[in-house]
Amino acid sequence: MAQLLQFFPPFMEGLWKSIADVWNATWWMVMPLISVLFFWEFWVLYIRFRFIVAIEWILLDIKIPKNILQTPKAMEQVFAAAHAPYTYGLRFLEKYWEGRVEHWMSFEMVSLGGDVHFYLRLPKQYRNLMESAIYSQYPSAEISQAEDYVRQTPKIMPNKTYDLWGMELVLQNPDAYPIRTYPMFEEAVEERRVDPIAMISEVMSKLKADEQIWIQILCRPTGGDWRKKGEEIIDKMLGKEPKKKPGIFSFLSPGVTFQELARAPFEHPSIEVTKKKEEDRFKLLMLTPGEKEKIEGIERKTSKLGFETTIRFMYIDRRDSFSRDNVAAVQG
């Protein structure tokens, strides 16, 4: 220790000596605590990995007739069924002894040399649930178990023969903000209704024999905590004060301020409530059309079931014919 202190300025020798003395006196208490924390992190990682590896996955190939009369809203009911496995909070032993996590599913749109497939990758125990949900909305659909197309590609890519380009899509704004969904592509008149995936399916159907496009939408159901972010954004846009979390001694509070108590003999409490409602109504009228549209979109989104979602895209082709035009088309 003395050899180490000679490299520091004289005024720091006392400080480092004090730190060294404290460490020599307390290391036997600190080191076991650090070891327990490290062990806990590795234990949780191990049991979760063991649970995920044990999941038995299947891949369903879903074929729906082209001239289907159903609107995209029917698919919303299928996603509602995908939310059914949600446990509404795992118990302590399930999370930290069994390593359980919320199950997820992957809705995939894949083109293999121009042959477009709609796949659903899911844990085996939910096959009957999802097949029933699909048949209830699309009675003429054909569902069969398929071989995993991922295993048909080389294990190492890019290589001397094939090249690839991939990405994950993320949101530019917070989760509570909406994205364009099927109602924005619909019109009251049947002739004016636009298929939201027509462009991308057209691109995928024109691939050459060695080209592939994979689009995977991984969905894991979640609770309602994410809706609070939407409410906070709306309150901020309306200029409302953020709601304060109750403190430790909040049960002792009468629920009103001292000012309200002082005014109570002369002013009815309902008058104050009416004033606040009028202020909120005035703030709402002062919003721009764009701000109103954002608030309506957030409220519409927070009324739906929530999923933690990852969207992946990959394009594969031979090196001598690799074209970024297909990448740009899918991104567009």
Side-chain angles (χ1 to χ4, degrees), residues 24-280:
N24 290 333
T26 60
W27 70 267
W28 58 274
M29 292 188 298
V30 176
M31 286 303 296
L33 180 59
I34 296 175
S35 301
V36 169
L37 293 176
F38 270 102
F39 172 79
W40 180 257
E41 291 294 330
F42 281 109
W43 167 255
V44 172
L45 182 64
Y46 164 71
I47 59 176
R48 286 182 180 173
F49 176 78
R50 186 181 62 180
F51 177 83
I52 293 173
V53 168
I55 297 175
E56 187 175 356
W57 296 89
I58 60 172
L59 186 68
L60 300 180
D61 188 358
I62 304 170
K63 297 179 181 179
I64 299 176
K66 292 184 178 179
N67 299 324
I68 195 73
L69 297 178
Q70 289 279 36
T71 66
K73 188 173 180 61
M75 196 62 197
E76 187 175 343
Q77 304 303 317
V78 177
F79 279 103
H83 196 276
Y86 183 55
T87 61
Y88 293 91
L90 296 169
R91 289 174 292 186
F92 183 85
L93 290 179
E94 289 177 333
K95 290 180 66 174
Y96 301 113
W97 183 253
E98 300 175 12
R100 291 180 62 88
V101 296
E102 298 289 351
H103 285 106
W104 66 93
M105 303 180 189
S106 178
F107 294 82
E108 305 176 3
M109 189 175 178
V110 179
S111 176
L112 305 173
D115 188 11
V116 182
H117 295 265
F118 292 92
Y119 290 122
L120 173 57
R121 192 185 304 270
L122 74 167
K124 186 176 181 179
Q125 64 264 37
Y126 301 124
R127 177 174 181 172
N128 291 337
L129 169 69
M130 296 308 298
E131 284 186 346
S132 300
I134 294 170
Y135 283 132
S136 66
Q137 302 299 323
Y138 306 96
S140 57
E142 298 179 11
I143 303 176
S144 59
Q145 186 168 346
E147 294 184 7
D148 193 350
Y149 60 90
V150 177
R151 297 179 180 177
Q152 299 174 8
T153 58
K155 293 184 178 180
I156 299 177
M157 285 196 304
N159 53 34
K160 294 181 179 180
T161 306
Y162 288 95
D163 198 359
L164 63 84
W165 194 96
M167 66 177 180
E168 286 190 358
L169 302 179
V170 297
L171 298 174
Q172 291 183 342
N173 295 318
D175 297 343
Y177 283 92
I179 61 175
R180 295 185 69 190
T181 54
Y182 69 89
M184 299 181 182
F185 297 89
E186 290 186 343
E187 295 288 349
V189 183
E190 178 67 27
E191 288 75 10
R192 295 179 62 186
R193 182 174 294 157
V194 181
D195 184 359
I197 65 169
M199 178 181 174
I200 193 168
S201 59
E202 185 69 18
V203 172
M204 297 176 75
S205 65
K206 292 184 177 180
L207 297 185
K208 302 188 300 293
D210 294 321
E211 290 180 300
Q212 296 183 26
I213 286 179
W214 304 353
I215 299 175
Q216 300 177 336
I217 304 176
L218 284 72
C219 302
R220 181 168 62 186
T222 185
D225 293 341
W226 65 279
R227 294 188 177 94
K228 296 179 181 178
K229 296 180 180 179
E231 295 174 357
E232 292 174 358
I233 293 174
I234 293 175
D235 290 344
K236 186 176 181 180
M237 293 179 68
L238 293 175
K240 294 182 180 179
E241 295 182 1
K243 297 178 181 178
K244 297 180 180 180
K245 296 182 180 180
I248 301 175
F249 302 102
S250 59
F251 65 94
L252 299 175
S253 174
V256 293
T257 63
F258 287 105
Q259 293 179 351
E260 291 172 340
L261 286 174
R263 290 199 305 265
F266 312 101
E267 186 178 280
H268 196 275
S270 61
I271 298 177
E272 188 69 21
V273 176
T274 304
K275 287 182 179 178
K276 289 182 179 179
K277 288 183 178 180
E278 290 178 354
E279 289 177 2
D280 294 343

